[in-house]
Amino acid sequence: MGSIIIKVQAVHPEIPPPVLASALAIICGAIVLFLGLLRLGFIVDFIPLPAISAFMTGSAINVCAGQVKTVLGEKAHISTRGATYKIIIDTLKHLPSARMDAAMGLTALAMLYGIRSACNYGTRKKPHKAKLFFFLSTLRTVFVVLFYTMISAAVNLHRRNHPAFKLLGNVPPGFKAAGVPKIDVPIIKAFLAELPAAVVVLLIEHIAISKSFGRVNNYTIDPSQEFIAIGISNLLGPFLGAYPATGSFSRTAIKAKCGVRTPLAGVITAVVVLLAIYALPALFFFIPKSSLSAVIIHAVGDLVTPPRITYQFCTPLPARQFLGYVQVHSVVGDHILNAPQEGPTTGFEDDIEISRRIHLPTEPEGGTNPRVKIHQPAPGIFIYRVSEGFNYPNANHYTDHLVSHIFKETRRTNPQAWETTGDRPWNDPGPTRAERKILMAEEAPTSPLPTLRAIILDFASINNASPDTVQWHFVHVHNRWTKRALAAVGFGFPAVADGSAPRWQRSIFNVAEILDGSLPGPMSHSHVGESEDWSKDVEDGLKVQESSASSSVMGVSGDEIQVVQTSERDAKVNAHRRRGRSGVGTGMAVVDGINRPFFHVDLTSALKSAMADS
């Protein structure tokens, strides 16, 4: 509200601030009420929390910077309407002009933080008295204001015209601004550009309070209902001189601790406020301005987002993990399984293995036992898990981590890439003296480290889109458009320098049974050799056709159609299928397509494929 008044009055000084505040409250109330009546409360889910936290933090810092001048009682005129950094600089420049006000302001600020710290300490040491310490902490503002008002009254009682420090002064009692608020088109146009920010802050603060106490007390709120309530409040408030208002964390917390359960508590609060407005304004005269500014700084300081919360908003810095494998065994009771389970499973004799591999982060974290040894998948092959969406802000974060790790764990393919030492980049230390001796030995290997062979990317969390050739394998690319984007730029199959059709030594695909005619689309009745143009969709998995001796799979590489013989195990699988299982079709289908052999359904397939080709 203060920011809007400053901006509007700079252009329209003829509009009094109270008139502007009342008009803004009515417009905000009408907008919020309209949204509530249309049941549009769900729109709060589209307002990002980081943006709101940043706004509240910036506002709190701005308010604190503007109040320091009053806390110190500086004589020099310092404009608090400029940029925050200018206010801070001007305040520091005029520190020598501070007066007695600083004693009242700084000690009040220290007392506020001291009482809160003492109450928090008492709560931790004596949890059974937590409620008592809560109320003592809550009342610290009232206590400090009354305490310094008493000191001020004792010092300035007989020197009202020449006080020792600045006082709040006369406060008119009652509702002096009660009446029909003035609102017209010129006034609305004056603050129209600032209206969206006011509405957003009003809604977010109110909904945030409602949701937080709903979680504590085990109930859910209806945002649209809250919109209606706060909208009506802002529509009626200006008739008593109010400006745009929303819920309050502190007052709501106090009422919750007092055991409030119904809106009737609002009536009690209204009676107390009316009593203060009509009976206590005379006491407000002696409130020191510096102490009041200290109270304001202490109050808005809680709106600054803590660093630990700010760090959580840094989505461009997600967790990064290299994966290794662990050989695990199933345990039933007190013994390790060493034989296949009895009873039907999938129909294949060798489906159940005595042990199996699972992939875990190479650096133990979470619930993984740190004593378990994580093995490297294979020399020169790395599995990298992307834990967040892969987008522009965090792409460099992932790449730097990936490259630095690979440089550390692999050796150069050609150590003699630079003719002289001076040609080597300044940030490449090159081989050590011991390594150079090894390089000079003809019979010794160039380095104990392997060369880079393949990189497997685990994209389970993704929903958006050198001399030796390096294979890039992708796992868990479930989003269709992510796969299309990768395939469109050449990922998914081996690159060939001479432009010929890409070939690979050994492809490992995953097939699963299908019911007769159950394959959707044009492939449900298609067979190898028919005239369909399989290259139209680079993602379609193709049906395994059964033949008399073995099975063949249709593979598509660019525009070339080729037939790849399946492994001996695949033939056995189909032979087993033909021996008969009633009720199940006799066909098999590739689970995730074969025309992009570097896209895999799981890490095991990716690792086996990378190892087979390297």
Side-chain angles (χ1 to χ4, degrees), residues 198-343:
V199 173
V200 168
V201 173
L202 187 152
L203 292 179
I204 288 300
E205 186 173 356
H206 184 77
I207 295 299
I209 296 170
S210 303
K211 286 188 174 182
S212 63
F213 282 93
R215 288 191 293 267
V216 171
N217 296 291
N218 197 28
Y219 65 83
T220 58
I221 67 166
D222 182 352
S224 298
Q225 182 179 0
E226 300 294 331
F227 282 12
I228 294 174
I230 200 67
I232 293 176
S233 175
N234 280 278
L235 277 175
L236 299 180
F239 289 89
L240 294 176
Y243 59 84
T246 183
S248 168
F249 268 114
S250 58
R251 289 191 292 272
T252 306
I254 293 172
K255 288 185 177 182
K257 290 291 185 179
C258 291
V260 169
R261 293 294 181 269
T262 69
L264 182 62
V267 178
I268 310 293
T269 303
V271 172
V272 175
V273 171
L274 288 173
L275 180 64
I277 290 176
Y278 282 97
L280 301 179
L283 297 177
F284 298 160
F285 179 90
F286 292 102
I287 296 178
K289 280 190 174 182
S290 58
S291 300
L292 190 60
S293 293
V295 170
I296 294 174
I297 292 175
H298 179 70
V300 301
D302 292 336
L303 299 179
V304 177
T305 305
R308 60 182 178 84
I309 302 299
T310 304
Y311 182 79
Q312 296 177 5
F313 292 153
C314 298
T315 55
L317 302 176
R320 308 150 303 178
Q321 298 173 335
F322 280 92
L323 303 185
Y325 74 88
V326 176
Q327 200 77 14
V328 297
H329 305 263
S330 299
V331 176
V332 176
D334 57 354
H335 67 280
I336 299 177
L337 292 183
N338 57 5
Q341 297 177 356
E342 297 181 357

Side-chain angles (χ1 to χ4, degrees), residues 403 407 412 418 421-431:
V403 171
F407 275 11
R412 294 187 56 84
W418 302 288
T421 305
D423 294 336
R424 188 175 63 244
W426 67 271
N427 58 348
D428 184 354

Side-chain angles (χ1 to χ4, degrees), residues 18-49:
V19 172
L20 186 64
S22 297
L24 182 62
I26 290 180
I27 299 301
C28 287
I31 293 175
V32 175
L33 177 62
F34 178 75
L35 295 177
L37 293 176
L38 291 183
R39 317 303 294 176
L40 298 178
F42 64 88
I43 62 175
V44 298
D45 297 330
F46 295 96
I47 303 178
L49 179 60

Side-chain angles (χ1 to χ4, degrees), residues 85-236:
Y85 75 93
K86 291 183 179 180
I87 298 174
I88 296 175
I89 293 174
D90 291 340
T91 301
L92 295 175
K93 280 183 179 179
H94 297 92
L95 280 178
S97 66
R99 296 181 293 181
M100 183 61 67
D101 300 66
M104 303 294 286
L106 294 178
T107 55
L109 189 61
M111 185 177 292
L112 287 167
Y113 280 104
I115 294 174
R116 186 173 72 172
S117 299
C119 292
N120 291 339
Y121 178 80
T123 301
R124 292 194 301 268
K125 292 297 182 180
K126 298 183 178 181
H128 60 284
K129 293 186 178 180
K131 196 169 187 178
L132 172 62
F133 287 117
F134 170 82
F135 283 113
L136 291 177
S137 179
T138 301
L139 294 174
R140 66 184 182 275
T141 302
V142 177
F143 171 76
V144 169
V145 171
L146 290 178
F147 179 73
Y148 281 88
T149 300
M150 292 171 59
I151 295 177
S152 176
V155 173
N156 301 305
L157 185 61
H158 299 294
R159 46 187 304 177
R160 296 170 65 99
N161 296 329
H162 301 283
F165 34 79
K166 292 181 180 180
L167 304 179
L168 185 60
N170 292 315
V171 177
F175 293 99
K176 299 297 182 180
V180 178
K182 180 182 178 181
I183 182 171
D184 53 28
V185 174
I187 294 177
I188 297 176
K189 287 184 177 180
F191 60 74
L192 189 61
E194 309 296 330
L195 187 60
V199 173
V200 168
V201 173
L202 187 152
L203 292 179
I204 288 300
E205 186 173 356
H206 184 77
I207 295 299
I209 296 170
S210 303
K211 286 188 174 182
S212 63
F213 282 93
R215 288 191 293 267
V216 171
N217 296 291
N218 197 28
Y219 65 83
T220 58
I221 67 166
D222 182 352
S224 298
Q225 182 179 0
E226 300 294 331
F227 282 12
I228 294 174
I230 200 67
I232 293 176
S233 175
N234 280 278
L235 277 175
L236 299 180

